[in-house]
Amino acid sequence: MSTMTAEEIRRALHENQCLPNGTARSAQAEALANAAEACGDSGLFRQALLNQIDAYEYSSERTRMVIPFARLLQEYDRDPGGFDGSQAHALFWRFKWVSGQLVSSPEIPLSSVTGWLEDMERRYRLAGYSERAVRQSEFYLADATGDDERAERAVLRWQAADRDPMSDCHACETNSQGWFWASRGDDAKAVDIWEPVLAGKQSCLEEPHRVLARSLLPLVRLGRGAEARAHHLRGYRMARGNESLLRSIGEHIEFCALTGNEARGLEILAEHAARLGPLVDVEAQMQFYGGILVLLRRLGELGHGADLSVSYEGAARTADELHGILREDALAIARRFDERNGTTRVSDRLAERIGRAPLLDALPLGVRSPALPPAASVSASAPSSAPSSASTEGFAELVERARAARELGHPGADALWAGVAARPGAGTDPLVAADLADHRALTAARAGAPEAAELLAGVREGYRELGRAERAALAELRLATVAAQSGTGAGELRKLISVALRAAEALDADEPLRTRRIAYAELISIRVESYLRSLEAAGDAHGHEHGGQDHGHGELAAELRAFVAAYGPALPDVAAEAEEMLGRLALSEGDPERAVALLAACADRALASDRPWLAVDPLVLRAGVLLSLDRAEDAREAARAALAHASEVTDPETQGVVRLTLADVLVRRGEADAEAAGHALEAAHWFDQAGLSADGGAQARLLLARCHAREGRTAEAAEVLQSTLPDLLEHGEGQAVSVREFLGDLLRDLRDPRGAAEQYLLAAEATKDWEDPRPQAHFAQAAADRLSEAQLVPEAVAAYERALDLHRRSRDAPFAEVRILRSLAWLGLREEVSNAVVARARARMEEAVEVLSAVLAEDPEATEARVELAETWNQLAQVLDRRVSAHEEDTGEEEDGDGSGDGAGDTASGRAEPLGAAELLGAAELEALRLEEVRLWERAAALYAELGPAHLEARYHCVNNAAWTQHELGRPEAGAALLDALAAEVRALPEGTAPKWLTEQAERTRDNLLRISS
């Protein structure tokens, strides 16, 4: 680059500033500084050094800024007069950066750091600056060296000093001052100080990114987990992939490790694995590694140290291996600081950090992360769970509780039997051994294990030998149920049910469980017989028509009603099961009102039997049915009741369904977004626990994202939705398209036009085979708008052309066509404003006028068409004005006029190359264009006037443009007359009709026109 001209270097410096932050930008900045020095232009050399310092500041090479800054300071000392006001300000501003980087560079002796700080104080004092920035730098030095008294004094003097042009921005100061208190254990004060940044009242290029990360653990320690979750989702999205924010990335990883989100932490680590390895900024490396070490240690404690791998310098390393490597590197860096500082402050802080214990067992984040594999083993250092009452009470009492829960059908029975099995010598008592065998067989039956029948047969014989006929009879029932589930033939199945019923009936008359066993046998018989009848009916109907046949539904309903009548008074919980079947049957027959009543009765019976957990399923189903009947208030009541009664339910899938149902009801009612979000979040957590992340979990996260979006928490919504997008795309084409549109809208609102365009284009692709072309047209147009915003002109043009063709096929979206045509006109002007390009843009605008004229021919009073026509005339005038402005730019004449297009381009857009002599306009051509501009703006203003006061602002802008163009034509009085007429008309309108600024602005512009021309 040493042969570059000064102009080439200036252009390259501008391009360098537009590059993404990182080593590539820094390397080019270094080369440009060398080229500028060789060029011999001292002003250009100063500019290149400033650019080099800035490139380092926003990278992982911050500490390298010291050398170019020292050279810049030498330039200043050699010729301070050569620095203009802005360059001198830039030099002193970066002095603060350098003083901080000296503290962060262990190879620089403490005496040198102190000398630099003293020099900074001297220079600031001579330049008339406050000591505020100096005391801030002094704080960094005192804190790093462990001089807490000096650090506190520096903070107090820093806060007391006046703010001036050298003071850091409010957001950066707030970050550091909050961190001061957090590092001293005062989390509440730290969070309170950070509040302006967290609330969005203070911000800068790297804030709130850093404060969001720093606030995570203090918030968790304060019991404010919901806020910490929100800060993680929002903050990580801001920091992700940013080389200068590796410390913040480490803090997000640490937060995940200490809140039961190790899988999420591992996912973040994998995304940034390329950043592992030596960094120029060793303090950033140490801080980044610190958060990672917390995660790797936790993975080892959870038994994943040897079965998880992370890429490190091109090779896969287990969690344990990587922990060893990074720990040694981090400790070595800390020792270098300690040796330089003469204290152990840095090593002590690092040791405390990487040894932190978890703060929470689980803080659901809402995002979908890959589940950790089952741990092969657990380290001896893993923390043990707190003992439950089941592990501390007496063995006999525990057995009795387990048996009582079993008879009730309580969901907690499994955990109690697991506790019994874990006790030493649990199988020495024959009856306890039989009970444990019964529990194992039941677990196998629920899982559909092939050995379930054999296990149940063994249980039956075991109970018979012990004289426990009532338990043996239950085993017979379970054998019949397992047979039905495994597809046993009808004859054998009926035989097993008959045996089970006889076993129940054979129980002694005074056996308390006799009636219950008989009832269950009869209910199983009803279910099985209904199933067999449906199979037989299906077989009979093969090849024949049996219109109106209900396949035994009427008979089944009659049997169930008789069962409820017979057993309802004595066994309400058993009758409730039959009533739930009746409710589901009513639904299948298309009678939701009857189903609602039956499900309510079922829930009431469950509650009457003191078994509230049995009411959960029918209440959830009832809520869904009520919602389909537009009885949202009743649906909410049913869903809330289901949640209240689910407290003892241990099945995670049921817990997920209950919460998802309530969240869905609340969302559809259009209320309580925050509450709905909480339920959706918990639902996702429970579905994850049930291994249903891709099913119920995906739907819960979709609902959660919608709640976040409705609350204005767009970044959180996008983070949640993107995490589960692959799952949602598998749930049908309709949902896939809807979800991509939703994500595109979120990314658009987050000012990520490329990401939004990608989602819209994918949605358009998914709808391309649909019979109706309108959805595809809508998505293509949305994508084009975002591609235009992202300055991807050829891609935007292609998308607009696609959308235009589709709209024309549908023949019912003329206004969409018009907006696309106007956008295409402006896109053509992005690169150059030549005669040919302007002609094409004019043709697009005139085509838009033709479309609108056709609409108005059918309905001359169509308001939207008239508005769009006025706007099209307005924008056509702006296109012509852009051509005039391009001529003036190339001839050095002063440019007047303003305006903008439909988002695809604007009149201020630059051009790649000058027009050239052949494209310059003659005086007659310029006058003709300006006269046409005036006519178009006056025509647009007249149409806006017909449309009434609601369009006064648009009308004013047209009149204003026409007035200034009249001035350019040498007719300022004509322009002033236009403004006077509008102002007079507006003053005559009733008070409050027009914005107050309009008449004042019109009069001020009129005065300026006349003053300039005089």
Side-chain angles (χ1 to χ4, degrees):
M1 288 193 181
S2 60
T3 59
M4 296 175 69
T5 67
E7 186 56 39
E8 288 172 337
I9 295 171
R10 287 190 181 91
R11 189 159 46 243
L13 285 171
H14 175 73
E15 293 171 355
N16 182 257
Q17 291 166 359
C18 298
L19 289 176
N21 296 323
T23 54
R25 180 191 171 192
S26 297
Q28 188 184 59
E30 294 166 11
L32 289 172
N34 292 333
E37 184 177 22
C39 182
D41 185 327
S42 57
L44 184 60
F45 181 45
R46 292 194 293 270
Q47 183 183 350
L49 288 172
L50 287 168
N51 179 70
Q52 186 179 357
I53 294 167
D54 291 351
Y56 289 147
E57 169 65 11
Y58 298 106
S59 74
S60 60
E61 301 179 300
R62 278 192 167 110
T63 52
R64 297 184 65 183
M65 72 171 64
V66 176
I67 293 175
F69 180 80
R71 300 186 71 188
L72 188 63
L73 196 59
Q74 288 172 356
E75 288 290 308
Y76 180 79
D77 289 339
R78 182 179 60 79
D79 181 19
F83 282 66
D84 62 24
S86 63
Q87 287 179 329
H89 179 277
L91 170 74
F92 281 94
W93 181 266
R94 284 156 183 77
F95 216 134
K96 300 179 305 177
W97 295 357
V98 172
S99 65
Q101 297 317 312
L102 292 169
V103 174
S104 302
S105 304
E107 68 276 7
I108 298 178
L110 207 55
S111 58
S112 297
V113 179
T114 303
W116 271 87
L117 186 57
E118 291 171 351
D119 189 41
M120 175 184 174
E121 182 171 7
R122 179 183 64 82
R123 289 176 183 270
Y124 271 39
R125 184 172 60 252
L126 292 174
Y129 292 124
S130 160
E131 69 170 346
R132 190 177 183 94
V134 177
R135 300 284 79 83
Q136 179 179 355
S137 297
E138 181 186 5
F139 159 68
Y140 293 144
L141 175 60
D143 181 76
T145 56
D147 191 342
D148 291 336
E149 290 185 8
R150 184 184 180 189
E152 190 158 353
R153 284 197 308 272
V155 167
L156 293 175
R157 292 179 66 184
W158 168 14
Q159 293 172 327
D162 293 335
R163 287 189 60 82
D164 70 352
M166 282 302 110
S167 301
D168 264 357
C169 77
H170 287 285
C172 289
E173 285 198 339
T174 297
N175 176 358
S176 299
Q177 291 174 10
W179 171 72
F180 167 74
W181 292 106
S183 66
R184 279 148 183 78
D186 195 338
D187 292 327
K189 188 164 185 176
V191 172
D192 186 54
I193 289 172
W194 284 327
E195 190 277 336
V197 176
L198 297 174
K201 300 171 188 174
Q202 298 175 358
S203 63
C204 69
L205 192 62
E206 291 190 334
E207 297 297 354
H209 316 42
R210 297 181 299 174
V211 169
L212 286 167
R214 279 189 163 167
S215 70
L216 296 173
L217 296 184
L219 284 169
V220 174
R221 288 192 290 261
L222 291 170
R224 294 160 64 176
E227 292 173 70
R229 170 175 53 247
H231 291 184
H232 167 66
L233 295 180
R234 186 160 64 103
Y236 178 62
R237 186 174 192 85
M238 292 176 169
R240 177 192 282 131
N242 193 325
E243 186 175 290
S244 68
L245 294 175
L246 290 178
R247 303 170 195 231
S248 297
I249 299 296
E251 287 166 332
H252 282 283
I253 292 173
E254 179 181 8
F255 162 76
C256 292
L258 299 181
T259 56
N261 291 289
E262 294 83 6
R264 167 76 168 174
L266 188 62
E267 186 176 35
I268 295 173
L269 173 56
E271 288 180 357
H272 294 84
R275 304 295 185 186
L276 296 176
L279 298 178
V280 173
D281 186 345
V282 294
E283 188 191 30
Q285 180 184 349
M286 180 181 66
Q287 299 296 348
F288 180 41
Y289 282 10
I292 296 171
L293 287 169
V294 178
L295 171 68
L296 296 174
R297 192 200 78 240
R298 280 294 298 149
L299 292 172
E301 291 172 351
L302 295 173
H304 296 292
D307 58 18
L308 291 174
S309 63
V310 178
S311 175
Y312 175 75
E313 295 189 337
R317 302 280 188 169
T318 67
D320 284 345
E321 289 172 341
L322 187 58
H323 181 272
I325 294 169
L326 300 190
R327 185 175 184 276
E328 182 54 39
D329 288 350
L331 290 175
I333 294 171
R335 285 193 295 269
R336 289 170 59 191
F337 277 106
D338 290 344
E339 291 169 5
R340 191 275 303 270
N341 296 338
T343 71
T344 60
R345 163 58 63 86
V346 177
S347 290
D348 291 344
R349 279 186 172 170
L350 178 62
E352 183 275 330
R353 181 184 187 186
I354 64 179
R356 285 173 183 166
L359 297 172
L360 294 173
D361 290 335
L363 176 65
L365 299 178
V367 290
R368 165 90 142 95
S369 295
L372 295 175
S377 62
V378 178
S379 165
S381 62
S384 60
S385 301
S388 66
S389 59
S391 63
T392 58
E393 67 183 312
F395 181 69
E397 291 82 359
L398 177 59
V399 171
E400 286 309 309
R401 281 212 305 131
R403 286 171 177 161
R406 180 180 64 188
E407 292 308 324
L408 278 172
H410 193 285
D414 288 347
L416 290 169
W417 282 118
V420 171
R423 293 295 182 89
T428 57
D429 182 314
L431 183 54
V432 173
D435 288 338
L436 290 172
D438 183 34
H439 177 253
R440 287 192 295 272
L442 179 59
T443 300
R446 288 172 180 160
E451 68 273 16
E454 182 181 350
L455 291 173
L456 284 168
V459 168
R460 176 192 59 194
E461 298 308 317
Y463 278 131
R464 282 177 178 173
E465 291 175 6
L466 293 169
R468 301 302 297 268
E470 81 287 357
R471 299 299 306 168
L474 183 58
E476 293 282 13
L477 283 172
R478 288 174 176 164
L479 275 167
T481 302
V482 168
Q485 293 171 343
S486 61
T488 301
E492 180 63 22
L493 194 51
R494 287 186 170 113
K495 178 180 178 182
L496 288 170
I497 293 173
S498 177
V499 169
L501 181 58
R502 288 199 304 273
E505 292 171 338
L507 294 173
D508 291 342
D510 58 354
E511 167 56 54
L513 294 174
R514 181 175 185 273
T515 303
R516 181 173 291 276
R517 297 289 185 264
I518 293 172
Y520 268 123
E522 290 182 3
L523 187 57
I524 289 173
S525 177
I526 291 171
R527 285 173 170 164
V528 170
E529 286 299 331
S530 172
Y531 169 68
L532 293 176
R533 285 197 298 269
S534 67
L535 289 180
E536 291 164 357
D540 292 344
H542 185 66
H544 306 281
E545 291 194 16
H546 289 261
Q549 187 171 348
D550 66 1
H551 298 297
H553 284 183
E555 187 176 351
L556 173 60
E559 292 170 346
L560 289 170
R561 286 195 294 270
F563 181 89
V564 170
Y567 291 105
L571 299 171
D573 59 310
V574 182
E577 291 189 39
E579 210 147 33
E580 183 177 351
M581 290 177 63
L582 280 168
R584 293 180 183 275
L585 191 60
L587 280 178
S588 70
E589 294 174 338
D591 191 348
E593 292 289 356
R594 183 158 58 93
V596 164
L598 288 165
L599 292 168
C602 166
D604 289 343
R605 290 183 191 278
L607 297 175
S609 67
D610 290 328
R611 293 171 169 85
W613 56 88
L614 295 179
V616 173
D617 282 349
L619 284 170
V620 168
L621 181 57
R622 185 169 184 268
V625 177
L626 287 167
L627 201 57
S628 71
L629 294 171
D630 292 326
R631 292 169 57 184
E633 183 63 34
D634 293 335
R636 182 178 64 172
E637 181 182 343
R640 288 200 188 282
L643 181 60
H645 298 317
S647 58
E648 295 179 87
V649 174
T650 59
D651 175 35
E653 181 179 1
T654 301
Q655 291 286 357
V657 168
V658 171
R659 285 162 174 78
L660 180 57
T661 300
L662 179 53
D664 189 34
V665 170
L666 293 172
V667 167
R668 294 200 194 189
R669 280 178 55 85
E671 63 178 27
D673 290 329
E675 182 188 356
H679 293 310
L681 175 70
E682 291 186 21
H685 171 71
W686 282 110
F687 282 124
D688 288 347
Q689 298 299 306
L692 297 171
S693 297
D695 301 304
Q699 299 307 317
R701 288 185 171 91
L702 175 57
L703 202 60
L704 175 60
R706 294 199 184 283
C707 291
H708 283 334
R710 283 171 33 163
E711 289 184 279
R713 297 160 63 178
T714 311
E716 295 167 63
E719 195 71 11
V720 169
L721 188 60
Q722 283 184 302
S723 75
T724 196
L725 182 64
D727 299 326
L728 292 169
L729 296 179
E730 299 299 319
H731 291 197
E733 186 177 72
Q735 183 173 79
V737 170
S738 172
V739 166
R740 289 204 183 279
E741 179 180 24
F742 180 26
L743 181 55
D745 292 347
L746 292 173
L747 296 175
R748 175 200 63 204
D749 294 343
L750 288 170
R751 303 185 184 223
D752 179 3
R754 287 174 180 252
E758 179 185 12
Q759 295 304 319
Y760 293 141
L761 287 173
L762 288 168
E765 197 63 20
T767 60
K768 68 178 183 179
D769 294 327
W770 290 10
E771 184 176 344
D772 184 353
R774 287 174 295 182
Q776 186 188 171
H778 163 72
F779 293 128
Q781 185 172 355
D785 289 341
R786 303 286 74 77
L787 289 166
S788 172
E789 183 182 344
Q791 305 294 320
L792 298 172
V793 175
E795 294 85 351
V797 168
Y800 275 130
E801 294 285 9
R802 176 183 181 182
L804 184 63
D805 177 63
L806 290 163
H807 280 309
R808 284 173 169 168
R809 273 195 258 163
S810 68
R811 301 183 179 218
D812 65 351
F815 305 129
E817 288 184 48
V818 166
R819 291 171 191 138
I820 290 171
L821 287 165
R822 292 199 303 243
S823 295
L824 285 168
W826 284 110
L827 277 173
L829 298 170
R830 283 278 180 90
E831 300 300 326
E832 62 176 0
V833 192
S834 63
N835 289 335
V837 171
V838 171
R840 287 194 293 271
R842 179 197 284 271
R844 293 288 194 183
M845 291 291 185
E846 291 173 346
E847 192 177 348
V849 171
E850 290 175 8
V851 173
L852 292 167
S853 297
V855 175
L856 289 169
E858 295 183 9
D859 181 5
E861 299 304 315
T863 300
E864 187 174 3
R866 298 172 77 198
V867 170
E868 292 294 342
L869 181 58
E871 179 60 18
T872 303
W873 285 333
N874 173 27
Q875 291 196 30
L876 176 53
Q878 291 178 38
V879 167
L880 302 181
D881 189 66
R882 187 70 189 91
R883 178 66 186 91
V884 172
S885 298
H887 167 86
E888 291 171 343
E889 290 168 11
D890 284 308
T891 58
E893 299 176 26
E894 185 177 352
E895 178 182 346
D896 287 316
D898 59 12
S900 61
D902 269 327
D906 61 59
T907 59
S909 296
R911 292 172 287 107
E913 298 292 340
L915 291 172
E919 291 286 344
L920 295 180
L921 300 171
E925 291 174 300
L926 280 172
E927 182 177 9
L929 284 172
R930 284 173 172 150
L931 287 170
E932 186 175 2
E933 288 174 36
V934 171
R935 287 195 297 271
L936 287 166
W937 272 317
E938 289 183 336
R939 189 185 302 175
L943 188 47
Y944 280 131
E946 294 175 14
L947 290 164
H951 299 276
L952 266 173
E953 186 172 346
R955 180 183 171 193
Y956 165 76
H957 289 303
C958 291
V959 170
N960 179 65
N961 288 342
W964 279 109
T965 307
Q966 289 281 26
H967 160 69
E968 293 166 9
L969 286 164
R971 303 188 302 202
E973 293 81 4
L978 291 173
L979 291 163
D980 279 337
L982 178 60
E985 182 182 333
V986 170
R987 278 194 294 269
L989 292 172
E991 187 176 353
T993 303
K996 293 181 179 179
W997 60 264
L998 198 150
T999 52
E1000 296 174 359
Q1001 184 65 38
E1003 291 167 355
R1004 187 161 47 247
T1005 303
R1006 185 270 319 273
D1007 292 342
N1008 287 338
L1009 279 174
L1010 296 176
R1011 178 179 54 80
I1012 293 170
S1013 61
S1014 63

